[in-house]
């Protein structure tokens, strides 16, 4: 069921699998405040729905932001997410080598109670989340 939908972000919650699927729309001109707001909405809904598994579909996401700007925003999102009951995050990777590098770096540089894995396709990501 769609629990949130905007021009930037769609959240689809499947209560039978306890998976919140996150899709960020393909916008190249999204600004840092909009990214922050989208991340805050994800955290808020993860908390409100007591989400334990998060599927982040980044295949179509395009964010034209420098690493020194994006890394702190992503780090804050990950720390905020760690304050919820989320246990596993599966990310279906984008084609941006830069962005995937930043995401891996942020998740690897922070000691988190969250398991994180990147995938190239949705199906294996969902299977990993379910186990």
């Amino acid at each position: 069921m769609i629990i949130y939908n905007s021009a930037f972000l769609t959240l689809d919650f499947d209560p039978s699998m306890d998976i919140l699927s996150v899709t960020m729309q393909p916008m190249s001109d999204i600004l840092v405040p909009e990214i922050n707001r989208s991340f805050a909405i994800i955290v808020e809904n993860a908390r409100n729905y007591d989400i334990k598994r998060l599927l982040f579909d980044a295949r179509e996401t395009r964010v034209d932001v420098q690493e020194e700007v994006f890394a702190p925003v992503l780090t804050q999102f990950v720390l905020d997410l760690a304050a919820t009951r989320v246990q596993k995050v599966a990310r279906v990777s984008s084609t941006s080598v830069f962005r995937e590098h930043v995401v891996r770096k942020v998740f690897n540089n922070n000691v988190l109670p969250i398991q994180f894995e990147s995938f190239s396709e949705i199906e294996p990501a969902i299977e990993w989340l379910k186990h």
Side-chain angles (χ1 to χ4, degrees):
M1 78 182 145
I2 303 290
I3 59 174
Y4 183 85
N5 193 20
S6 73
F8 302 111
L9 178 69
T10 302
L11 302 180
D12 186 5
F13 179 50
D14 182 342
S16 68
M17 291 192 291
D18 189 26
I19 294 176
L20 178 64
S21 297
V22 177
T23 307
M24 294 186 86
Q25 304 306 325
M27 299 189 148
S28 57
D29 59 347
I30 190 169
L31 303 173
V32 172
E34 293 159 338
I35 295 169
N36 279 329
R37 178 70 184 129
S38 294
F39 284 165
I41 289 166
I42 295 166
V43 170
E44 176 186 336
N45 280 283
R47 187 172 287 114
N48 291 345
Y49 286 86
D50 197 29
I51 303 297
K52 293 178 187 63
R53 299 176 189 104
L54 182 68
L55 174 63
F56 205 101
D57 186 353
R59 291 176 296 179
E60 300 297 320
T61 307
R62 289 189 307 268
V63 179
D64 297 330
V65 180
Q66 298 299 319
E67 179 176 352
E68 60 272 6
V69 174
F70 187 58
V73 169
L74 186 59
T75 298
Q76 187 59 55
F77 169 62
V78 169
L79 294 174
D80 292 346
L81 204 56
T84 70
R85 292 184 26 105
V86 170
Q87 298 169 353
K88 294 176 108 175
V89 174
R91 177 175 163 75
V92 182
S93 302
S94 71
T95 56
S96 169
V97 173
F98 154 74
R99 194 162 358 101
E100 295 310 314
H101 165 75
V102 173
V103 169
R104 272 191 297 282
K105 191 169 156 183
V106 166
F107 270 93
N108 291 336
N109 288 349
N110 290 286
V111 177
L112 301 169
I114 299 173
Q115 296 177 52
F116 174 80
E117 287 289 332
S118 288
F119 297 87
S120 57
E121 296 179 12
I122 291 250
E123 293 78 17
I126 290 172
E127 285 304 312
W128 178 78
L129 285 171
K130 292 184 341 188
H131 299 288

